[in-house]
Amino acid sequence: MKKIILTIMLSLLLAGPVFAEISVVATLPWIGSLAREIGKDKINVTVLVRPSQDAHTIEAKPSMILAARKADVIMYDGLDLEIGYLPLVIESSKNPKLMPGKIGNFDCSRFVSVVEKPSTVDRSMGDVHPLGNPHYHYSPSNILRVADGMALLLAEADRANADLYLANHKAFADRVKEKEKQWSAVPLKGKKYVAYHKYFEYLAAEFGIQFIGYIEPKPGIPPSAAHIEELIETMKTAKPVAILVTPAYGMHESEFLSSKTGVKVIVLPHDVGSLPGTDDLISFWDKVVSLLK
Ligand SMILES: [Zn+2]
């Protein structure tokens, strides 16, 4: 009997105090990946959008609402990228923790230096990004600031594990900063490209690459024949090294343009897990830089 009691006491001691896990819902794979870097086993993460999906055309599903109902925090890209489903998911979840203004409503874009921020908002032209370019996950320096904010949020939401979150955050940030030295040594500055969608503006800002044109005349608007003809003419003089596209969006049109111009297509990952070898944010950036090279 004594032995059994001793064993139970010992196992309780080893198990340590039990804390509730923080339940995180992330809209996009890269956000889930960043949360896991900082939260590790102290949080459980549900990601709403699959890596194979195009983030612009997601619709709300009952499973999303169910996940949001049980969540402590919802983390999202912001800048209206999730406008088509997220407001509905949050409202239908009836989860007071996730309502706008609450600590559990975490808009990653608050920490970002937004590019292409328009002076006036006008959706009438069909622009899907009226608040500025939402694809900042291509920019390690912006994501480092999102990581700062995320670490503070988790430390605040779960104070018992605050030191762990801050240590995990520092380890991640140190790894990224080390990698940034490698990436900045790759000679990409001044290289010219065409892109299907305005996915890579933060890459341009961070790595000094240039875009001489876009297959979409405006984000979310498919190209007309006249626009393609004009782009072909521009490409003849500007001689871009490649047409950049992502697997879920614009492949067909990019290959058509390639067949007309002889300029090769490079398929870049649009999110963590969307191409082989992009299992976390650092390998995602590694892949992007090596494909551009
Ligand atoms: Zn977009």
Side-chain angles (χ1 to χ4, degrees), residues 116-125 127 129-132 218:
E116 301 184 304
K117 210 171 184 166
S119 45
T120 54
V121 173
D122 181 12
R123 267 183 214 277
S124 66
M125 298 293 287
D127 193 335
H129 300 320
L131 301 183
K218 235 174 140 49

Side-chain angles (χ1 to χ4, degrees), residues 68-106:
R69 195 162 292 165
K70 291 181 279 186
D72 298 302
V73 181
I74 194 153
M75 298 178 172
Y76 54 98
D77 188 285
L79 300 172
D80 275 3
L81 182 61
E82 295 102 338
I83 191 84
Y85 62 103
L86 192 60
L88 184 63
V89 167
I90 292 177
E91 202 189 313
S92 306
S93 79
K94 298 193 165 57
N95 182 344
K97 293 180 193 168
L98 310 186
M99 294 303 154
K102 297 286 182 196
I103 180 180
N105 185 301
F106 188 77

Side-chain angles (χ1 to χ4, degrees), residues 27-174:
T27 54
L28 301 179
W30 74 260
I31 300 171
S33 176
L34 185 59
R36 283 189 195 103
E37 295 280 2
I38 299 166
K40 298 253 192 278
D41 60 343
K42 297 297 173 203
I43 66 172
N44 69 68
V45 181
T46 305
V47 177
L48 301 183
V49 176
R50 289 190 304 278
S52 58
Q53 287 180 294
D54 168 19
H56 301 87
T57 54
I58 305 298
E59 287 174 9
K61 287 193 303 191
S63 60
M64 295 179 178
I65 296 164
L66 219 59
R69 195 162 292 165
K70 291 181 279 186
D72 298 302
V73 181
I74 194 153
M75 298 178 172
Y76 54 98
D77 188 285
L79 300 172
D80 275 3
L81 182 61
E82 295 102 338
I83 191 84
Y85 62 103
L86 192 60
L88 184 63
V89 167
I90 292 177
E91 202 189 313
S92 306
S93 79
K94 298 193 165 57
N95 182 344
K97 293 180 193 168
L98 310 186
M99 294 303 154
K102 297 286 182 196
I103 180 180
N105 185 301
F106 188 77
D107 177 352
C108 298
S109 75
R110 280 191 294 127
F111 304 92
V112 169
S113 304
V114 177
V115 304
E116 301 184 304
K117 210 171 184 166
S119 45
T120 54
V121 173
D122 181 12
R123 267 183 214 277
S124 66
M125 298 293 287
D127 193 335
V128 293
H129 300 320
L131 301 183
N133 193 305
H135 306 303
Y136 53 81
H137 61 299
Y138 285 100
S139 154
S141 66
N142 274 297
I143 295 306
L144 281 176
R145 287 200 299 276
V146 175
D148 295 345
M150 206 180 264
L152 291 178
L153 165 78
L154 291 176
E156 171 76 25
D158 176 15
R159 288 190 187 165
N161 289 308
D163 288 349
L164 268 173
Y165 298 130
L166 298 179
N168 293 343
H169 165 251
K170 188 180 179 307
F172 173 74
D174 287 348

Side-chain angles (χ1 to χ4, degrees), residues 123-241:
R123 267 183 214 277
S124 66
M125 298 293 287
D127 193 335
V128 293
H129 300 320
L131 301 183
N133 193 305
H135 306 303
Y136 53 81
H137 61 299
Y138 285 100
S139 154
S141 66
N142 274 297
I143 295 306
L144 281 176
R145 287 200 299 276
V146 175
D148 295 345
M150 206 180 264
L152 291 178
L153 165 78
L154 291 176
E156 171 76 25
D158 176 15
R159 288 190 187 165
N161 289 308
D163 288 349
L164 268 173
Y165 298 130
L166 298 179
N168 293 343
H169 165 251
K170 188 180 179 307
F172 173 74
D174 287 348
R175 271 163 63 221
V176 174
K177 284 171 192 160
E178 203 48 45
K179 275 285 183 181
E180 276 183 318
K181 289 180 201 159
Q182 288 177 30
W183 296 325
S184 62
V186 176
L188 294 176
K189 207 170 173 154
K191 282 200 177 187
K192 291 174 186 160
Y193 299 91
V194 165
Y196 180 80
H197 178 67
K198 282 197 161 189
Y199 247 126
F200 316 111
E201 304 312 296
Y202 291 89
L203 273 181
E206 198 135 331
F207 294 95
I209 64 173
Q210 291 174 11
F211 289 95
I212 60 134
Y214 299 91
I215 300 179
E216 283 183 331
K218 235 174 140 49
I221 305 291
S224 63
H227 176 74
I228 293 288
E229 284 306 318
E230 207 176 300
L231 186 55
I232 289 171
E233 286 308 309
T234 310
M235 289 170 76
K236 276 180 192 162
T237 38
K239 296 190 171 40
V241 288

